[in-house]
Amino acid sequence: MSVTDLLWRFPSVQMAWRNLGRNRVRTALAALGIIIGVVAISSLGIAGVALQQQATTDLGSLTNEVSISAGPDSSADGVTDEQVEEIRSLTGDATVVPQKSNRTTLSARDGGEAFVSVTALRQASALYTVSSGDSPDRLESGALLTNSTAAQLGIELGDPVEYEGRLYRVRGLIESSGGFGGGGSELVVPLSALSEQEHYDTVTVVAADGDEAQSIADRLEARFNEGDEEVLSVTSFAGVQENIDSFLNTLNLALLGIGSISLVVASVAILNVMLMSTIERRGEIGVLRAVGIRRGEVLRMILAEAAFLGVVGGVVGAVVSLGVGLVVFQVLSGDPLLVFGWPSVRYLLIGFGFAVVASVLSGLYPAWKAANDPPVEALRG
């Protein structure tokens, strides 16, 4: 059914559309208030979604990892071999990667230097993704180096780097990341490079997903840390993700509430516009009633005017909010098309629905007042 057919089949709708065109400036200002309210609700909601997706991206694969280190009540200065074996027995099929760490300064042929952290381990492929070269399952020789450090020092695949008087050929360049725990300068070497260090500084458990990682963390806490004693410090990034999600969900609700205030203010403006319109057309409405137009028809006409304002303002506001969302996602994630995902689209629908409902509610009192005005009094006025 076309808009024209709709107008002819429902005279009250036709009259409502005509009445809105009588005072276009007032109609445009009322619709502008709705547009601002919709943009406030939808844009703030979409911004919250973008922040949440960016936080999730920054955490990346860390959500399925559990990090273990010596706690304040540990009798050793690190994680012992016995504790590592016990951790393996508690983690099932998850990958357990013991690590030793240090720091050093790497030098380039041209005299340049870079301060890097040193990580010694065996299962490099479990923790590191390389952009070139290879990340072996068993790192027995050679080394891995972060991309940014290699570029800074002019080091390429196959070039040697010196650590503690020994040369290690670079066999892989680690992808540099801007997320949590990423983006630093790191040199990864075999465990034999730090053989003089008795205990492990960190043990990383790589689980299948975040739920399994959290379950493993709970089991390790129950086994090694009784009461207030903390023999091993156990950190699950899955728990960090849950905390971030909870915080951002609360933030989204707060932003939604702030945006709703704008729409409530716009609803008051529509109420004023509808009241002014019915007062100005009191005589006209009286004539309609006098010639036999029923109260219900008058009621539908005024409500249709309010609904039209809500629909027009809601559609324009949703389009503007979509544009704002494209910019926000481009800035935060570099992919503006993510705005078309359901988490963002739902805020467009919420904003549009809120606009229509608020407009209709704002028109209820003016519609009731106009429909119940006695025809004789309306004509006399």
Side-chain angles (χ1 to χ4, degrees):
M1 182 185 297
S2 65
V3 175
T4 304
D5 292 337
L6 178 66
L7 295 178
W8 281 109
R9 288 194 182 189
F10 300 97
S12 58
V13 176
Q14 182 184 15
M15 295 183 67
W17 185 257
R18 184 201 64 187
N19 290 333
L20 287 177
R22 283 181 168 181
N23 195 327
R24 296 180 180 177
V25 174
R26 187 168 59 193
T27 300
L29 290 175
L32 180 61
I34 290 293
I35 292 170
I36 293 173
V38 172
V39 171
I41 288 179
S42 301
S43 298
L44 290 174
I46 290 173
V49 171
L51 288 172
Q52 190 165 6
Q53 290 189 359
Q54 182 62 23
T56 301
T57 301
D58 283 344
L59 282 175
S61 61
L62 294 180
T63 54
N64 68 330
E65 294 181 5
V66 179
S67 180
I68 306 150
S69 59
D73 298 316
S74 175
S75 58
D77 59 353
V79 183
T80 65
D81 289 319
E82 292 78 12
Q83 288 172 330
V84 170
E85 291 306 314
E86 196 162 359
I87 290 170
R88 291 186 194 278
S89 67
L90 292 170
T91 54
D93 296 331
T95 303
V96 179
V97 186
Q99 301 151 256
K100 297 178 180 179
S101 59
N102 201 353
R103 293 185 177 275
T104 191
T105 300
L106 297 181
S107 301
R109 296 190 185 97
D110 61 2
E113 293 185 340
F115 189 63
V116 299
S117 59
V118 180
T119 302
L121 47 70
R122 182 168 288 110
Q123 295 163 284
S125 60
L127 299 182
Y128 297 98
T129 301
V130 295
S131 57
S132 59
D134 68 304
S135 181
D137 294 334
R138 294 181 63 85
L139 182 62
E140 303 290 353
S141 62
L144 308 180
L145 186 63
T146 47
N147 259 327
S148 56
T149 308
Q152 178 184 347
L153 298 178
I155 296 174
E156 299 179 352
L157 286 176
D159 288 349
V161 292
E162 183 178 355
Y163 174 66
E164 296 293 329
R166 297 181 60 182
L167 293 178
Y168 298 89
R169 291 197 175 276
V170 176
R171 58 187 301 177
L173 297 178
I174 303 169
E175 290 184 354
S176 300
S177 168
F180 296 109
S185 299
E186 188 172 7
L187 174 67
V188 181
V189 294
L191 274 174
S192 57
L194 290 175
S195 56
E196 74 282 354
Q197 187 172 318
E198 182 179 1
H199 303 306
Y200 300 102
D201 293 293
T202 309
V203 177
T204 301
V205 178
V206 183
D209 51 42
D211 291 338
E212 183 182 350
Q214 189 60 52
S215 176
I216 289 172
D218 293 340
R219 292 200 299 270
L220 294 175
E221 284 280 1
R223 169 60 186 85
F224 292 103
N225 302 327
E226 298 180 359
D228 295 333
E229 188 179 44
E230 187 178 8
V231 176
L232 293 181
S233 176
V234 181
T235 303
S236 169
F237 291 99
V240 174
Q241 179 69 66
E242 290 178 1
N243 291 336
I244 291 176
D245 288 344
S246 176
F247 168 75
L248 290 176
N249 286 334
T250 303
L251 178 63
N252 280 347
L253 290 175
L255 294 176
L256 196 62
I258 294 172
S260 300
I261 294 174
S262 301
L263 205 47
V264 169
V265 173
S267 300
V268 175
I270 290 179
L271 174 62
N272 182 53
V273 168
M274 291 292 98
L275 278 174
M276 290 292 295
S277 178
T278 54
I279 291 172
E280 289 176 358
R281 292 166 19 224
R282 188 181 182 198
E284 177 186 332
I285 294 171
V287 171
L288 292 175
R289 292 294 313 283
V291 299
I293 298 297
R294 290 175 296 209
R295 291 179 180 179
E297 201 68 27
V298 175
L299 187 70
R300 282 193 293 271
M301 179 181 66
I302 305 299
L303 288 179
E305 291 181 31
F308 275 137
L309 282 174
V311 170
V312 173
V315 170
V316 176
V319 171
V320 173
S321 299
L322 184 61
V324 173
L326 289 170
V327 174
V328 169
F329 273 95
Q330 175 63 38
V331 172
L332 292 181
S333 65
D335 186 3
L337 297 182
L338 289 175
V339 75
F340 294 104
W342 170 246
S344 299
V345 170
R346 67 175 178 174
Y347 283 105
L348 297 177
L349 297 177
I350 289 173
F352 176 79
F354 203 158
V356 175
V357 171
S359 298
V360 172
L361 290 177
S362 298
L364 281 176
Y365 174 69
W368 175 85
K369 189 176 186 303
N372 288 278
D373 198 6
V376 175
E377 294 296 330
L379 289 170
R380 183 181 299 164

